Each structure stands twice: as C-alpha cells, then as structure tokens.
Amino acid sequence: MQRRGLGSKTEEAVESVKKSQDMKPLGNVVVSWKKTLSTGSDLLDLAISSGRVKGGGVPAGILLEVYGRSGSGKTSILSELCGAAQAQGGEIAFLDPEARLDEEYARTYGVVLPKEAYHQPDTVTQMFDIISKWEPKGAINILAADSLAALSTELELEKGDKMGMRRAKEFSEGLRKYCRKINKEGWIIACSNQVRQGDYGDVTPGGKAVEFYASLRISVNQKEKIFKEKSFGAKGKVKRAIGIISNCIVTKSSVDKPYREAPIIIKFDYGIDNIHGNLQWLKDTLGLNKYMAVDKEYQRLDDAIAYIESNNLEGKLKTEVIKTWQEVEDKFNQQRKPKTR
C-alpha cells in the first residue's frame, strides 16, 4: 500500500529536514534532536531516546505524560526537567493545580520559580488558556503540569460531573488545538497524571486524549524505600527512610523504541541521585561484586559516590553508562535485509 502524498511543499520541507544534521523526522512530525532535556537520570534518558541521540533525553516539540501512583516520583521527574531547561537558558511555566510546590522544593532541583511562571489553574480550560498565552524566549522551554488529575471543569464545579465526561472532552478539544503549536514552537509540555482503579483495570484520569496525543508516556512505580541506620547514644540505633527506588517504563514512544525500562533513585532533599543510580546499575548489569567508580572499585556504595564527587568524575561515569547501555542494546539488534515489497 502506498502512502498518501503529503503535497509538494510539505514533501520538500521533510526532505530538507532529513538532510539536516540537527533534526530527525518521525512520520509527519519533526523533532529537534540537538534540543533535548535530561530527566536527571542518565538511565531514564537512555531508555527514552538513546536509539536516536547519544545520551538520550526528552526531545523538544512533544507532549510527555508521566503517570503512576502517589509517591512514585512523578513530580521529581517534572522538576528535574524544569531545572535542566533553566540550566540551558530556557524558560519554564509550572502549573500546580494541587498547590503542592513550594520554593524550597523547587530549589532542591535547581529550579528558580518566578511568580509569573507559577500558576494554579482550577480547570482544564484555564490550563489551555495559559498555554495559549505563553510566549517563552528561551532556547528550549518546558511547561510542566502537575497533575492533570487535579484539574476540574466549570460544569463539575457548578453542577457536578460524576462520570468526568466533560473533562475528557475538554482535554480532547484542547490537545487537538495545541499539539501542533507545541511541535511548531519546539516546546516540551510535560504532564504528570495519577493512576486510578477502573472497571477494567488501572486508568489515568482525563479520558483517552492525553494518552492519544502524547508522543511519550512513562509509567513510574515505586519499588521500595531506601533506609539508613545510624548509631545513637551508647548502644542505640535509629533508622530512617532517606529515599525511594522507582522503576520507569516507556509505555508509549514516538521518539524511539518503547518498553525500555530504567530504575531511578530519589533521595529526599536532594532529588534524583544520578550517581547512585549509575553505580548500582553498572554493578547489577555487569555482575560485579564491587561498585566500579570509573578507575577504582569500592565495597561500599557511599564510598564510591564520595570518590566520584570529590574527583569530579560524573562525566566519565556517565560515559561508561552510555557505553555499557549501548553494548546491551547491540545484543538485541536484528541484522536483517530490508523487506521485499
């Protein structure tokens, strides 16, 4: 079956883009691969798009949905993306219908949150009104909405909407209107969403529109808490939870292969601990008995982390992770001739 023609001007534009070193076409959608943001985790970046760009990351021009149960790390991922955007000279807008974000939490992720960049929309319509009026001037800009499940509608606020049908309709209308603008402007719209128990299994609030229009969907689930024990007094001991380990699965992707998985380590008052995650992943993947801290090995994780940080070896550790990840991927690459048509 032949594909329907795109029209001469569109075809010329796509061919021009194909020749560019900075861009790669995905169907009729063009994504900027020089413009990517990091999630704060090298492993998650690689799971998202390592097949298209070295080191991976979230490419500009897409809608991203991060969904999972409460306490799994969704807000951490959105905050890390905002911090990465500002570090690259981009602008952010943070939509917080749950009114949970504060300046101290934002600073944990390196985010400077100007008053004009922070919004607390009540309804879906207000969210899209903010998007329509947003005029960022940065290199790569991100609008984060945390979370979609907290947004209501005028109908629900005034009369009630038990089935939530109006909210689903407004998401569909808004995304149909603005997704082309998101791609054209090269923005990243990153949304978090909750998981609810439906009649036929887990569902995400807001209908199917977000799932349909998102180029990238990531499921985040907490696997376990991280505890640390300390001596106290003469012979006493105290134990506290200092973070969590969550597993991320790329459940939908128009930017690379789907169903790649990556663990993320989130430490309270620190954010995503990329060094911890990288050291643990290398140890597990390579089947080592010790933590490989670039050019030294350590029995204890804390010692390995301290060595990496004190010697500014974060970049070399990242290079080792990227190399190992690619070697794993290469084992699953199929070397076959093109299909016969």
Side-chain angles (χ1 to χ4, degrees):
M1 181 182 296
Q2 290 185 334
R3 294 180 61 185
R4 184 180 298 177
L6 300 175
S8 58
K9 290 185 178 180
T10 305
E11 288 175 345
E12 288 175 8
V14 171
E15 287 303 315
S16 175
V17 165
K18 287 180 180 178
K19 295 176 182 178
S20 170
Q21 294 181 353
D22 298 348
M23 311 282 277
K24 287 191 177 183
L26 300 169
N28 296 346
V29 177
V30 175
V31 170
S32 173
W33 287 101
K34 257 193 175 178
K35 295 181 177 180
T36 60
L37 290 183
S38 174
T39 61
S41 164
D42 292 334
L43 295 170
L44 183 52
D45 290 346
L46 290 164
I48 289 169
S49 62
S50 62
R52 297 294 185 97
V53 61
K54 185 176 181 180
V58 179
I62 68 166
L63 172 66
L64 160 67
E65 183 188 19
V66 181
Y67 64 97
R69 301 197 182 280
S70 178
S72 58
K74 304 183 296 296
T75 303
S76 291
I77 293 173
L78 264 57
S79 299
E80 290 280 6
L81 285 167
C82 288
Q86 289 187 326
Q88 293 184 24
E91 295 185 25
I92 70 168
F94 203 100
L95 280 56
D96 186 21
E98 293 182 338
R100 294 191 307 175
L101 189 73
D102 57 33
E103 290 186 11
E104 185 175 349
Y105 183 89
R107 281 196 297 269
T108 298
Y109 295 89
V111 176
V112 178
L113 199 61
K115 185 177 179 180
E116 64 273 13
Y118 180 74
H119 309 270
Q120 291 183 356
D122 295 316
T123 66
V124 177
T125 300
Q126 290 173 3
M127 168 184 156
F128 285 113
D129 185 55
I130 293 168
I131 293 175
S132 71
K133 295 175 181 177
W134 196 39
E135 296 181 348
K137 301 295 191 296
I140 178 167
N141 307 293
I142 179 168
L143 184 145
D146 185 35
S147 87
L148 300 183
L151 291 170
S152 186
T153 64
E154 293 293 341
L155 175 64
E156 185 178 28
L157 293 175
E158 293 175 4
K159 299 180 180 180
D161 184 15
K162 186 176 181 180
M163 300 300 291
M165 297 301 291
R166 182 61 196 170
R167 181 170 60 174
K169 185 175 181 180
E170 289 186 4
F171 271 125
S172 182
E173 290 173 348
L175 290 171
R176 185 166 59 247
K177 181 177 181 180
Y178 288 108
C179 267
R180 287 185 291 273
K181 181 179 178 65
I182 292 167
N183 180 254
K184 180 182 177 182
E185 298 293 339
W187 298 342
I188 293 175
I189 305 296
C191 307
S192 71
N193 210 346
Q194 297 176 9
V195 170
R196 304 281 174 79
Q197 182 67 42
D199 294 336
Y200 301 99
D202 290 345
V203 296
T204 50
K208 294 290 185 180
V210 180
E211 179 180 341
F212 177 80
Y213 283 102
S215 296
L216 183 65
R217 299 185 78 228
I218 301 172
S219 169
V220 187
N221 294 284
Q222 184 186 137
K223 291 174 59 182
E224 59 183 287
K225 296 178 180 64
I226 303 172
F227 290 93
K228 180 159 283 192
E229 190 174 74
K230 295 284 187 179
S231 298
F232 188 77
K235 296 182 179 179
K237 289 184 180 294
V238 292
K239 187 166 76 169
R240 293 287 185 273
I242 63 166
I244 63 170
I245 301 175
S246 289
N247 191 49
C248 300
I249 304 175
V250 178
T251 56
K252 178 187 175 183
S253 178
S254 298
V255 302
D256 204 344
K257 299 173 185 175
Y259 305 115
R260 298 292 181 264
E261 298 187 31
I264 57 172
I265 314 292
I266 301 173
K267 300 284 182 63
F268 305 146
D269 300 323
Y270 180 82
I272 293 180
D273 193 337
N274 191 38
I275 299 175
H276 180 162
N278 284 347
L279 288 169
Q280 190 65 55
W281 183 81
L282 284 171
K283 182 175 182 287
D284 295 341
T285 302
L286 298 173
L288 303 175
N289 294 321
K290 296 181 180 180
Y291 293 97
M292 185 175 67
V294 182
D295 56 359
K296 292 190 72 173
E297 293 183 344
Y298 289 91
Q299 194 72 45
R300 295 179 67 252
L301 175 62
D302 288 348
D303 293 338
I305 292 174
Y307 179 75
I308 293 292
E309 290 184 334
S310 61
N311 291 279
N312 300 316
L313 293 173
E314 292 90 343
K316 289 187 177 180
L317 179 61
K318 177 176 182 174
T319 298
E320 191 62 34
V321 168
I322 292 173
K323 176 175 172 288
T324 305
W325 181 283
Q326 191 56 57
E327 288 174 354
V328 172
E329 288 295 298
D330 288 344
K331 287 185 173 293
F332 294 93
N333 286 340
Q334 298 186 53
Q335 301 296 329
R336 299 180 60 182
K337 72 174 187 178
K339 284 185 178 180
T340 303
R341 299 291 186 182

